[in-house]
Amino acid sequence: MPRPILATIHTEALRHNLARVRSAAPDAKVWGVVKANAYGHGIERVFEGLRGADGFALLDLEEAQRVRALGWRGPILLLEGVFEARDLELCSRLNLWHVVHCSEQIDMLATHKTHQPHRVFLKMNSGMNRLGFAPQRFRAAWTRLNVLPQIDEISLMTHFSDADGPKGIAQQMQVFEEITRDLPGERSVGNSAASLRFGQDAAVRADWVRPGIAVYGSAPDYPEQDAGGWQLQPAMSLVSKIIGVQELAPGDSVGYGSSFTADAPARIGVVACGYADGYPRHCTTGTPVLVDGVRTRLVARVSMDMLTVDLTALPEAGLGSEVTLWGRAGSGALLSIDEIAAAAGTVGYELMCALAQRVPVVVD
Ligand SMILES: *Cc1c(COP(=O)(O)O)cnc(C)c1O
């Protein structure tokens, strides 16, 4: 028998979350963001749940080929654009739309031979200072692109640094609007956080939103708001089983470094899941976990292949009991990946993306 660990991708949850983003940003076209192998879920595995999107956004050419191989004929957007001139050939061949964020990418386009002009998204750096043209250089870039025969249509985009936090998007929105006011073309500004929090603003939802994390069922602004509060459902569950039980006397300790010591008689379940499966080693005693759908706590250090949970208050639980590390238990009980991420000092994004290769995955 294989190790009893299994990740499940929930098609219905993906569909629900996509609809949820649509209701938060009504009438916006939606890029389903499937970069990083669909945030660790697997592009092929999420495709059915997300095929209702208007397009797919990603940044790896190999991933774009995989989306086309699934039969998707609609828009695909390369979020970082091309990395070298010959990538443009694949863009022509697969009809990929691409971001243009620097003048070198315009140079490449200017010498590219294509029968089919490209649709591009010209990106402004409105304050995040990652990719994009500075506001004062944006219009010159637009003018340069606009005269190229290689270009079909120019859309305008920017990305927010603080859509999930107290600073918000107002400042970047103002810069973007001011510079692009009289430019033609579709716009795209909102990630998950902006779509959920500010999607009622017509300028934020025009014309394409780009939700990633929300469609996978994690709250972009946790703990300010949780996934349930946003009415999002987990798209991934990580479930294993108890493969050993230890009865502890007061003073007994557990695991590497003896970081947990029982102060009363305790029952400990050993779970077939460790950091080599993608469960964060930074989680320590107290991190929530579901055993047979009932909430209890992780105790002691997470090791490579195992972790330990407190069964003292769960006398029915034992060998073979279901353990939900995150997502949905068999009973329907939920444990948000955001809670586990917070316990590890990180975000749900990182945990999803870090699901290990060795974990078998099924789609339901
Ligand atoms: C990853 C990404 C998104 C999606 O962000 P979420 O926070 O996951 O919604 C949107 N736009 C760009 C440019 C991105 O790189």
Side-chain angles (χ1 to χ4, degrees):
M1 187 181 147
R3 282 174 82 227
I5 189 165
L6 183 68
T8 303
I9 307 304
H10 306 296
T11 302
E12 205 44 58
L14 290 162
R15 239 178 243 137
H16 166 91
N17 296 336
L18 187 62
R20 178 68 192 88
V21 173
R22 285 197 188 279
S23 74
D27 305 324
K29 285 183 277 189
V30 177
W31 290 113
V33 179
V34 293
K35 63 188 178 189
N37 198 24
Y39 289 46
H41 294 63
I43 287 177
E44 290 76 11
R45 295 185 196 110
V46 301
F47 184 68
E48 188 54 38
L50 296 183
R51 69 186 312 152
D54 299 286
F56 289 99
L58 40 72
L59 36 82
D60 204 303
L61 281 124
E62 185 260 340
E63 291 185 341
Q65 285 176 291
R66 283 164 57 195
V67 175
R68 284 285 181 248
L70 287 162
W72 178 256
R73 290 167 176 229
I76 296 178
L77 177 63
L78 296 177
L79 288 167
E80 294 180 346
V82 297
F83 304 101
E84 56 179 338
R86 66 169 185 193
D87 294 346
L88 289 168
E89 289 161 25
L90 201 63
C91 290
S92 296
R93 189 140 47 84
L94 297 180
N95 187 19
L96 308 179
W97 303 1
H98 47 104
V99 165
V100 172
H101 65 75
C102 63
S103 51
E104 289 77 3
Q105 289 178 328
I106 304 181
D107 299 341
M108 292 181 213
L109 270 164
T111 55
H112 175 54
K113 292 185 180 52
T114 178
H115 298 296
Q116 187 191 20
H118 290 198
R119 170 88 176 254
V120 295
F121 276 63
L122 184 62
K123 185 166 190 177
M124 185 191 299
N125 166 19
S126 58
M128 188 173 190
N129 288 308
R130 223 170 46 172
L131 297 182
F133 290 89
Q136 65 275 16
R137 297 181 52 222
F138 188 77
R139 294 185 71 99
W142 188 89
T143 305
R144 224 191 125 199
L145 270 180
N146 193 42
V147 298
L148 292 182
Q150 290 89 345
I151 298 297
D152 168 27
E153 215 179 308
I154 307 172
S155 303
L156 314 171
M157 76 179 275
T158 194
H159 192 54
F160 299 125
S161 58
D162 288 78
D164 55 336
K167 184 174 171 195
I169 63 171
Q171 214 173 323
Q172 284 186 264
M173 210 53 214
Q174 194 192 342
V175 171
F176 182 76
E177 298 244 85
E178 193 182 305
I179 303 287
T180 62
R181 189 165 296 132
D182 56 350
L183 289 178
E186 291 193 322
R187 280 125 223 273
S188 177
V189 298
N191 56 2
S192 295
S195 305
L196 291 173
R197 295 180 74 203
F198 310 112
Q200 67 280 12
D201 178 342
V204 174
R205 63 176 189 263
D207 291 281
W208 291 84
V209 292
R210 308 189 301 267
I213 197 70
V215 300
Y216 303 105
S218 162
D221 55 348
Y222 184 86
E224 190 62 38
Q225 176 77 278
D226 63 18
W230 285 122
Q231 296 162 268
L232 299 170
Q233 300 173 2
M236 179 198 289
S237 296
L238 181 62
V239 176
S240 186
K241 284 185 177 164
I242 291 184
I243 58 166
V245 175
Q246 298 294 338
E247 306 282 347
L248 305 188
D252 287 348
S253 58
V254 181
Y256 287 119
S258 301
S259 72
F260 173 81
T261 301
D263 52 14
R267 230 170 128 246
I268 297 299
V270 182
V271 182
C273 177
Y275 59 76
D277 299 298
Y279 191 92
R281 186 176 174 279
H282 284 98
C283 286
T284 51
T285 297
T287 304
V289 58
L290 304 180
V291 176
D292 289 332
V294 180
R295 210 175 155 97
T296 178
R297 59 175 184 151
L298 178 90
V299 295
R301 273 195 202 155
V302 174
S303 54
M304 185 183 288
D305 309 309
M306 285 174 266
L307 55 79
T308 39
V309 298
D310 189 354
L311 301 181
T312 312
L314 302 172
E316 309 281 282
L319 273 190
S321 288
E322 176 203 80
V323 179
T324 304
L325 289 317
W326 60 68
R328 182 185 300 274
S331 69
L334 297 178
L335 177 59
S336 171
I337 196 169
D338 297 324
E339 275 194 74
I340 313 307
T346 183
V347 287
Y349 299 78
E350 189 181 4
L351 267 53
M352 299 173 180
C353 291
L355 183 74
Q357 213 48 66
R358 78 174 187 184
V359 177
V361 186
V362 296
V363 178
D364 80 1

